[in-house]
Amino acid sequence: MRNFTIGAPYSKSKVTAGSLDVHPTEKALVVHYEVEASILGEGGGHVLGERKEGQKIIRVKSLSPSTDVAALAKKVVEECKLIPSSRLPQVEHLLYYLQNRKSSPVEDKQKRTAKPRELTPFDGMELNEEAIITQVDDYIELLYEGIPEKIRGAALILQLARNPDNLEELLHNEATLGALARVLREDWKQSVELATIIIYVFFCFSSFSQFHGVVSSYKIGALCMSVVEHELKRHDVWCEELRKKSKSAPENGTLRRDQDKALKKYQGLLAKQEQLLRVSLYLLLNLAEDTRTELKMRNKNIVGLLVKVLERDDEELLVLVVSFLKKLSIFLENKNDMAEVDTVERLARLVPCEHEDLLNLTLRLLLNLSFDSGLRAKMVEVGLLPKLTALLGDENNRQVALRILYHISIDDRFKGMFVYTDCIPQLMQSLYEHSEQETEAELISILINLAANKKNAQLMCEGNGLKMLMKRALKMKDCLLMKMIRNISQHDGATKPLYIDYVGDLAAEIRAEEEEEWVLECLGTLANLTIPDLDWELVLKEYNLVPYLKDRLKPGSAEDDLILEVVIMIGTVSIDDACAAMLAKSGIIPALIELLNEAPAYLIDLMHDKNTEIRKVCDNTLDIIAEYDEEWGRKIQSEKFRFHNNQWLEMVESRQADESEPYLYENDNDTADLFYSADGITPAEGSVSPDFFNDLQQQNGDFYHTG
C-alpha cells in the first residue's frame, strides 16, 4: 500500500553519528546524532528536506561494581547502530565512569521532575523483543502520572514505534496501546504536544493495512475527527481575538506591544496546532483506504473539516489536505459535499503556487470536480479560466490543465469566454508546432468545441489560420481536424467566404473508396457552405458527386449520420436553380421520398428519448403526420397508449413491492456510488432546436469524447 508518512523511517534519510556522553542523573549513555531526511511526494518528487539533531538514551540498569564493563561495552556497540565499532574504547571509558559515579542526594527527585526532552522525529532503533517489553513496561508507568511524565512516556514509546520492525512486538503488549488510547481520550484537550505524540504512535501502525483493525478497535479515527474539529474551532477563536486586539491597538504604545506579543504567541500555537492536524489527518487518510471507514468519516463531515483547513498557509499541510480531498472526490456523495462548502473558491487561490506538488494535486482535484456542470461554472466564476490558460506553457501541468479546459469548453455558456483569454492563440500555436506529429487528443478536442462559437471561429481563422488547418487536414487526412474545420464552416459572416478556395479540395475527397468518417466531415463542411455566388452545378459535374449522393440515399447503404449529411448537402446545392433541376432529372427525388416514408417510424423510436428537446420535436412532427395520414395517426396513438400503459404498470408493481417489503431500503447507508455519471459529459442544455437541419448540424459539431 502507498501512504503518506511522516519521519525518516518511511523516507530517505542519512544518519551521521555525533558525540557520546553520560546521562547527568541516570545510569545511561547519551548518543547524539544528526539525521538528514528527504520526504517524497505522491509522484516521487522531493517535497521536504530537513536536518534534525537527535539523541538516543541507552540505559544500563544492570551496571554494578561487579559488572564486566568490557563485555557490556561490546554488547552496547553491537546493539546500537548509532555507535560505530571504532568508538568501543570510548564506550568502555564512559561505562567505567558510570560504574564508579556516586548518586547525589536529590537524584530521585530530579528523575521525577526532569523536563521531558524535545521530541525529535528520527529516534527509532531496532531492539530485540525482550528489550522492547522491558522498556515499554517502564514507559507505561509514566502514563499514569502528570502531563509532563505522560508526554515523556509517550515520546519514549514513539521512539520504538517509529521503526516498523518494532511494531509487531509492541502490538503483543496490549497494555501499551490501551494505555495510550486511554490517555488520548482523557487528556488530549490539555496538551497539544501529548495528543500529537500519541496520535503519531497510532499513525505508525496505520501506515500498514494489517494494523488498521487494531487502530480502529481503539476508536482512534473518531478521536482524530474530534481533535481536528476542536482545533479548527480553537483557531477561529484565536483569529477573532487577534482581530479585536489589532483593531483596538494604536500605532504606538502598550497596546501595540501587547498586540505584537499576542501575534507572536499565536504563531507559536499555530505551528504546534498544524503539526497535530498534520499527523491526525495523515492517520485518517491511511484509514480511509477502507471505503466503509471513509463513509463513516463522510457522515462526520470530513469534507467540511478538510475544506476548512484549505484556509491555512502551511504548504505541507495543504499537500496532505488536497490529496485527501482528491481521494474523496471520486465518490458522488463527497463531490456533492464539496460543492456545498465552497471548495472551488478555496482551491482557486492555490493556482498557481510555487510548490510544484501542491499545484499538481490541486489541478488533479479540480479535474475530478470539473465533471460536475455546477462546479465547472464555479471555476469560471472564480477566475480559473485565465489561470489555467497560463499553465499551458508549464510542461509538468499542461496535460491536467488541458483536460480541465476541455471540460469547461463542453458547456455552451462558457465557450464565448475563451475569446477573452490567450487560450485559443496558444492552442493554435501548439497545433502548428506539431504539424508532422499526431495531434494531442485534448488539444484538438478543445478546439473542436470552441469552434462551435462564432467569435472563437473568427479568432481561429485570423491570418492564415484556415489555410494552415485545411492544408494539414488534407495532408494527414485527420478526421478530428476536419471536424474542427466543419464547425468553423457553420457560422455566417466573415469566415464562410474563406472556404470558396477549398470547395474543390473538399469535393475531391467525397468518393466511395475513402473512409466513411473522413467523407462525413468533408461532406458536412461542404453542406454548410450556403454561399449565394457558388456554382454548385459545376462542382457536382466536375467531381461526379450526383451518383455518390444518390447511392447513399438507399436504405442500408451507409450510416445514418452520413445519410443525414447527404440530405443536407442536397438541400444546400438546391439553392442553385440549375443544380436543383439537374438533381430532379437524376431521379434523386424518389429516394428522398422513400426516406420520408421511413421518418415516422424513426420519430416514434425517439418519442421517448431522454432529451426533452428531442421529445418535443418528435411530438410536434408526429402530430403533423397524424393530422395528414390516418393510418400513421392510428399507429402513433397506439404507441403513445402503449408507452403510458407500461409506465402505469411499472408504477403499480413498484408500489406493491414497496408495500410488501417496507424496510427493504431503510438505512441503506453503506453503499457508495462511484462518481461519475454522464452529467458533465453532455451539454447542460439540449442541442436540438425546432430548426431541424440547423439543430442537427450543431449536435454533430461538438466533440464529446477525447479519443
Side-chain angles (χ1 to χ4, degrees):
M1 112 182 206
R2 184 175 67 182
N3 280 311
F4 287 89
T5 57
I6 305 175
Y10 314 107
S11 315
K12 293 184 178 179
S13 60
K14 178 182 178 183
V15 182
T16 305
S19 61
L20 189 62
D21 206 346
V22 295
H23 195 281
T25 59
E26 300 182 23
K27 286 183 179 180
L29 299 177
V30 181
V31 184
H32 298 273
Y33 61 92
E34 185 179 78
V35 178
E36 183 178 353
S38 297
I39 301 177
L40 304 181
E42 183 183 22
H46 181 77
V47 172
L48 177 65
E50 193 171 13
R51 191 185 297 272
K52 291 278 188 178
E53 292 184 355
Q55 61 182 27
K56 178 64 190 173
I57 299 176
I58 304 173
R59 291 178 177 79
V60 284
K61 294 183 178 181
S62 61
L63 183 63
S64 66
S66 60
T67 300
D68 185 347
V69 173
L72 180 59
K74 186 176 180 181
K75 184 178 180 182
V76 169
V77 172
E78 288 175 352
E79 292 194 2
C80 182
K81 296 180 181 179
L82 295 172
I83 305 176
S85 57
S86 60
R87 303 183 74 171
L88 178 61
Q90 184 182 3
V91 174
E92 286 188 33
H93 174 76
L94 294 174
L95 289 175
Y96 275 121
Y97 173 80
L98 285 174
Q99 189 179 42
N100 297 291
R101 186 176 69 176
K102 294 181 180 181
S103 299
S104 65
V106 295
E107 182 175 344
D108 292 338
K109 183 178 180 181
Q110 288 176 331
K111 289 180 182 179
R112 291 194 303 270
T113 61
K115 182 180 179 182
R117 66 180 177 81
E118 186 70 21
L119 178 66
T120 57
F122 310 111
D123 288 342
M125 185 179 77
E126 184 178 357
L127 303 172
N128 58 47
E129 184 174 352
E130 182 180 354
I132 289 175
I133 294 174
T134 302
Q135 290 194 24
V136 168
D137 289 340
D138 294 337
Y139 302 159
I140 291 177
E141 294 178 5
L142 296 172
L143 297 178
Y144 292 90
E145 300 184 23
I147 293 296
E149 289 77 18
K150 289 177 180 178
I151 292 175
R152 181 174 179 78
L156 292 170
I157 294 172
L158 177 58
Q159 292 180 42
L160 300 175
R162 286 182 182 282
N163 191 332
D165 296 333
N166 297 335
L167 293 178
E168 287 282 359
E169 286 74 16
L170 283 172
L171 191 62
H172 294 156
N173 191 335
E174 296 181 3
T176 307
L177 298 183
L180 288 170
R182 176 188 59 79
V183 172
L184 181 61
R185 279 194 300 271
E186 296 175 357
D187 299 328
W188 66 267
K189 289 185 180 180
Q190 299 184 41
S191 171
V192 171
E193 185 178 2
L194 177 62
T196 302
I197 295 170
I198 295 177
I199 293 174
Y200 206 153
V201 173
F202 284 101
F203 162 76
C204 295
F205 285 92
S206 75
S207 297
F208 300 90
S209 300
Q210 61 266 37
F211 297 134
H212 283 188
V214 177
V215 178
S216 298
S217 67
Y218 290 104
K219 309 294 183 184
I220 301 302
L223 272 173
C224 286
M225 292 286 293
S226 299
V227 168
V228 172
E229 184 177 6
H230 176 76
E231 292 301 323
L232 292 177
K233 290 179 179 177
R234 286 181 64 192
H235 182 263
D236 290 339
V237 173
W238 295 344
C239 292
E240 181 61 22
E241 290 176 354
L242 272 179
R243 188 189 65 80
K244 290 179 180 178
K245 288 187 178 181
S246 178
K247 188 176 181 180
S248 60
E251 291 298 322
N252 297 297
T254 305
L255 290 177
R256 183 64 179 177
R257 287 193 294 272
D258 290 344
Q259 198 267 343
D260 292 340
K261 185 178 179 181
L263 179 60
K264 188 174 181 180
K265 180 182 178 181
Y266 161 76
Q267 292 170 344
L269 293 172
L270 184 64
K272 290 184 177 180
Q273 186 189 70
E274 290 185 340
Q275 186 179 6
L276 175 58
L277 290 174
R278 190 157 56 245
V279 71
S280 300
L281 293 174
Y282 266 127
L283 185 145
L284 291 171
L285 177 59
N286 287 348
L287 295 182
E289 182 182 277
D290 185 340
T291 54
R292 292 171 298 179
T293 303
E294 182 180 307
L295 182 59
K296 293 178 182 177
M297 294 181 192
R298 187 252 171 181
N299 293 336
K300 291 181 177 291
N301 192 32
I302 183 64
V303 170
L305 297 178
L306 290 170
V307 173
K308 180 71 173 174
V309 181
L310 287 176
E311 298 174 350
R312 304 298 180 99
D313 295 322
D314 184 277
E315 290 181 335
E316 301 311 314
L317 180 59
L318 289 172
V319 166
L320 165 62
V321 171
V322 175
S323 299
F324 206 156
L325 286 170
K326 176 175 167 287
K327 179 186 184 302
L328 295 172
S329 67
I330 66 172
F331 292 96
L332 179 63
E333 296 88 348
N334 296 332
K335 183 270 299 181
N336 292 339
D337 290 345
M338 292 179 200
E340 294 175 1
V341 290
D342 300 331
T343 307
V344 171
E345 290 89 333
R346 296 182 182 181
L347 290 172
R349 75 180 186 93
L350 303 178
V351 181
C353 67
E354 295 182 359
H355 196 292
E356 189 61 33
D357 284 343
L358 177 57
L359 176 58
N360 188 263
L361 284 167
T362 303
L363 291 174
R364 292 184 181 278
L365 172 56
L366 288 170
L367 175 60
N368 284 1
L369 298 179
S370 68
F371 282 87
D372 182 277
S373 58
L375 290 173
R376 286 201 303 271
K378 185 65 68 174
M379 291 177 195
V380 175
E381 181 183 325
V382 299
L384 273 173
L385 189 55
K387 292 183 177 183
L388 292 168
T389 299
L391 290 173
L392 293 178
D394 181 354
E395 286 301 320
N396 294 329
N397 299 296
R398 172 184 169 83
Q399 285 300 317
V400 187
L402 274 174
R403 290 168 185 169
I404 301 172
L405 288 170
Y406 164 68
H407 285 163
I408 295 174
S409 73
I410 289 173
D411 200 316
D412 290 335
R413 294 173 295 171
F414 311 127
K415 288 176 181 175
M417 300 185 69
F418 280 81
V419 77
Y420 303 109
T421 71
D422 194 38
C423 184
I424 293 175
Q426 284 196 59
L427 296 179
M428 294 294 287
Q429 184 63 34
S430 298
L431 199 62
Y432 301 150
E433 289 174 354
H434 300 85
S435 58
E436 300 299 325
Q437 303 174 13
E438 186 176 351
T439 309
E440 291 177 277
E442 292 85 1
L443 186 152
I444 189 61
S445 302
I446 297 173
L447 288 171
I448 288 171
N449 289 346
L450 296 183
N453 176 272
K454 185 174 182 178
K455 290 184 178 179
N456 291 337
Q458 291 173 349
L459 188 58
M460 293 172 185
C461 292
E462 283 186 357
N464 292 323
L466 182 60
K467 180 180 179 181
M468 298 293 292
L469 291 173
M470 193 68 73
K471 181 179 179 181
R472 177 173 176 177
L474 293 171
K475 179 180 179 181
M476 308 290 292
K477 292 192 182 297
D478 190 328
C479 293
L480 296 181
L481 199 54
M482 186 56 72
K483 185 183 289 288
M484 174 185 171
I485 294 170
R486 175 184 170 190
N487 276 7
I488 296 173
S489 69
Q490 68 182 314
H491 304 293
D492 294 325
T495 54
K496 190 164 288 190
L498 299 176
Y499 282 81
I500 292 179
D501 295 336
Y502 309 105
V503 169
D505 295 322
L506 292 169
E509 300 296 323
I510 301 172
R511 49 185 191 269
E513 55 268 25
E514 292 289 350
E515 290 288 337
E516 189 170 292
E517 184 181 0
W518 170 250
V519 173
L520 173 67
E521 301 303 335
C522 294
L523 186 61
T525 304
L526 279 177
N528 285 334
L529 303 183
T530 52
I531 304 173
D533 298 332
L534 192 56
D535 189 347
W536 282 113
E537 183 183 14
L538 179 61
V539 174
L540 295 183
K541 287 181 178 179
E542 183 173 349
Y543 296 98
N544 196 29
L545 294 182
V546 174
Y548 179 89
L549 298 177
K550 187 176 178 181
D551 289 343
R552 293 302 174 273
L553 290 177
K554 296 177 182 178
S557 62
E559 294 292 331
D560 290 346
D561 286 346
L562 183 58
I563 295 175
L564 174 62
E565 292 305 324
V566 169
V567 172
I568 297 173
M569 179 67 178
I570 292 171
T572 299
V573 300
S574 296
I575 297 173
D576 184 339
D577 293 340
C579 188
M582 182 182 70
L583 290 174
K585 293 177 182 178
S586 69
I588 212 167
I589 294 178
L592 292 172
I593 293 174
E594 182 61 29
L595 281 179
L596 280 176
N597 291 334
E598 294 178 11
Y602 187 67
L603 291 170
I604 287 175
D605 290 338
L606 292 176
M607 191 166 58
H608 313 302
D609 193 87
K610 294 180 180 180
N611 190 305
T612 56
E613 291 297 326
I614 291 178
R615 291 200 306 271
K616 187 185 299 184
V617 170
C618 288
D619 286 342
N620 293 337
T621 308
L622 288 172
D623 288 343
I624 295 172
I625 294 172
E627 184 178 348
Y628 288 93
D629 191 306
E630 293 183 2
E631 183 179 350
W632 272 113
R634 287 192 296 271
K635 291 180 180 179
I636 293 167
Q637 185 178 12
S638 175
E639 175 60 27
K640 288 183 177 181
F641 174 78
R642 186 186 65 81
F643 175 73
H644 291 299
N645 192 43
N646 286 342
Q647 282 189 317
W648 170 256
L649 291 174
E650 289 175 4
M651 184 182 68
V652 171
E653 291 173 0
S654 175
R655 182 173 299 176
Q656 290 174 347
D658 290 343
E659 291 173 355
S660 62
E661 297 184 58
Y663 305 109
L664 182 62
Y665 299 107
E666 186 170 342
N667 297 326
D668 188 15
N669 293 324
D670 292 330
T671 59
D673 295 333
L674 275 173
F675 181 64
Y676 287 99
S677 66
D679 176 44
I681 304 302
T682 55
E685 299 179 358
S687 55
V688 179
S689 67
D691 188 343
F692 183 73
F693 295 121
N694 289 338
D695 171 67
L696 287 171
Q697 286 176 283
Q698 292 178 356
Q699 184 182 11
N700 290 330
D702 271 295
F703 181 68
Y704 292 118
H705 53 83
T706 58

